[in-house]
Amino acid sequence: MDVTVTARAARERPGFARKARAYIALTKPRVIELLLVTTAPVMVLAQNGIPNLWLVVATLIGGSLSAGSAGAFNCYIDRDIDRVMERTKNRPLVTGELSDREALVFAWLVGIASIIWLAVTTNLLAAALSAAAIFFYVVVYTLWLKRRTAQNIVWGGIAGCFPVLIGWAAVTGSLDWAPVILFFVVFLWTPPHYWPLSMRYRADYASVNVPMLAVVRGRTLVGLQVVLYAWATVACSLLLIPVASMGILYTAVAVAAGGWFIIESHRLYSTAIRHDEVKPMRVFHSSISYLTLLFIAVGVDPLLPF
C-alpha cells in the first residue's frame, strides 16, 4: 500500500521541465517583454549611438531579474484572489505546481540577484533604481494600493516606469530630462493600457473586491478617463522632440502611432456612451503596439543621419 502511494506521489510530482516553466510563469514573462522594450531603446538614446553590447545585455538581464522578482512577489501576495479569479486560474500557485514557500524564496533570491548583478555590471544608480522598482511594485502597489483604491493602477504603475531610468542610468551613470519625459510617457500610458483590461475582466475583480476603476465606476467614465490619459500620453511623448533633439522618424511615429492610440480610445468611449457592446481589448492591444512602436523609434532615431 505504501509503495502504491509513493509511486502515485512520484507521478503527480512536477518534473524538472514543468517546474522550470512554473518558475518562469511566476515572473510574468509578458510583462518583462514589455519592460525590456522600453529599456534597450533608451540606452541607444542615452549613448546617441550603439552602446556597449555587453552593457546592454547586462542591463537587460538585470532588468528581467528585477521585473521577475516583482512579478513573483505579486503572485505570492495575491495568491488568495488568484485562486478565485478566472483570469489567473493557471498561475503556478493556483495550480499547485509551486508551493507558497518556493515562490517566496524564489522572489527574494531573484530580487537580490538583480540588485547585485546591476551593481556589479552597470553602476550603483541603476542598481538602486532596480531596488526602488521592486519596492514600489510590491509594497506600494500590491500591498498598499491595489485593494484599497480605484487609483491603484495610476500610482502603482510608476513601478513600470523605472526601466526607462535604469536603461539611461546604466549608460550615463546619471539622469537627465529625456528619461524623465519617457518615464512620464509610460506613467501616463499605464492607465489607458490597463483600464480596458479591467473592463474585460470586471466580474473577476468584482468577485474578489479589488476596486479597479471599471468595478467602482461605470464604463462611460472609464472610457472618458482612457481618452484623457491617451491624449496626455501622446502630448507628453511630443515633449521629447525638442528636449532630446529627436528627428523625423521619431516625430512621425509619435504623431501617427499616437493618433491611432487616441482614435481607438475615442472609439471605446463612443461605444460606451451609446451603450453599444464595448470592445476594450482593442484599446489594450493598440496600447501595446503604440508603446512598442514609440520606443523602437526612440532607439532607431539617434542612428539616422536626419
Side-chain angles (χ1 to χ4, degrees):
M1 183 68 175
D2 291 340
V3 174
T4 303
V5 172
T6 302
R8 184 183 299 114
R11 287 196 302 270
E12 293 175 352
R13 190 180 300 119
F16 175 79
R18 186 179 173 189
K19 201 83 166 178
R21 287 194 297 270
Y23 277 115
I24 292 173
L26 198 66
T27 66
K28 300 184 178 181
R30 289 185 178 180
V31 175
I32 293 177
E33 290 174 9
L34 195 59
L35 295 178
L36 296 184
V37 164
T38 65
T39 304
V42 171
M43 298 182 73
V44 176
L45 181 63
Q47 185 69 43
N48 197 30
I50 300 296
N52 180 282
L53 293 182
W54 162 244
L55 180 63
V56 174
V57 171
T59 305
L60 294 182
I61 291 173
S64 298
L65 292 173
S66 175
S69 170
F73 273 118
N74 178 266
C75 286
Y76 173 79
I77 295 166
D78 281 349
R79 64 195 185 280
D80 58 332
I81 62 176
D82 283 349
R83 293 186 175 110
V84 177
M85 295 172 65
E86 181 70 18
R87 186 173 72 89
T88 55
K89 66 180 181 181
N90 292 321
R91 288 183 177 173
L93 291 183
V94 178
T95 61
E97 293 171 302
L98 294 175
S99 68
D100 294 349
R101 183 176 182 276
E102 286 174 326
L104 185 59
V105 170
F106 176 79
W108 275 107
L109 289 177
V110 173
I112 293 170
S114 74
I115 297 168
I116 295 174
W117 173 267
L118 287 172
V120 172
T121 61
T122 62
N123 53 59
L124 291 178
L125 177 58
L129 290 169
S130 173
I134 296 172
F135 175 84
F136 214 96
Y137 189 75
V138 175
V139 177
V140 178
Y141 171 64
T142 307
L143 286 174
W144 180 28
L145 296 175
K146 184 173 182 177
R147 307 193 194 195
R148 287 180 170 84
T149 171
Q151 294 298 306
N152 47 20
I153 202 62
V154 176
W155 303 108
I158 289 176
C161 308
F162 276 91
V164 172
L165 303 182
I166 292 170
W168 188 280
V171 173
T172 67
S174 62
L175 295 176
D176 206 337
W177 281 111
V180 170
I181 288 173
L182 290 172
F183 177 97
F184 279 104
V185 168
V186 180
F187 171 73
L188 293 167
W189 167 87
T190 302
H193 163 68
Y194 198 87
W195 280 334
L197 184 69
S198 70
M199 292 176 73
R200 168 67 176 80
Y201 293 102
R202 181 184 181 280
D204 255 3
Y205 287 113
S207 68
V208 292
N209 297 316
V210 174
M212 289 297 176
L213 188 64
V215 174
V216 300
R217 295 289 186 269
R219 62 182 188 174
T220 300
L221 178 60
V222 177
L224 177 60
Q225 290 293 310
V226 168
V227 167
L228 294 175
Y229 272 94
W231 274 100
T233 302
V234 176
C236 188
S237 73
L238 299 178
L239 292 177
L240 190 67
I241 299 171
V243 170
S245 300
M246 304 303 288
I248 296 174
L249 176 68
Y250 176 83
T251 303
V253 172
V255 172
W260 173 42
F261 183 30
I262 289 172
I263 288 171
E264 288 296 339
S265 301
H266 275 277
R267 181 176 286 120
L268 174 67
Y269 179 55
S270 296
T271 55
I273 61 178
R274 293 198 308 266
H275 301 290
D276 292 339
E277 180 184 358
V278 296
K279 297 180 179 179
M281 296 307 287
R282 284 186 57 137
V283 179
F284 175 78
H285 292 301
S286 68
S287 70
I288 295 175
S289 299
Y290 162 73
L291 196 72
T292 302
L293 290 171
L294 186 75
F295 274 86
I296 288 175
V298 167
V300 175
D301 194 274
L303 305 178
L304 300 178
F306 51 85

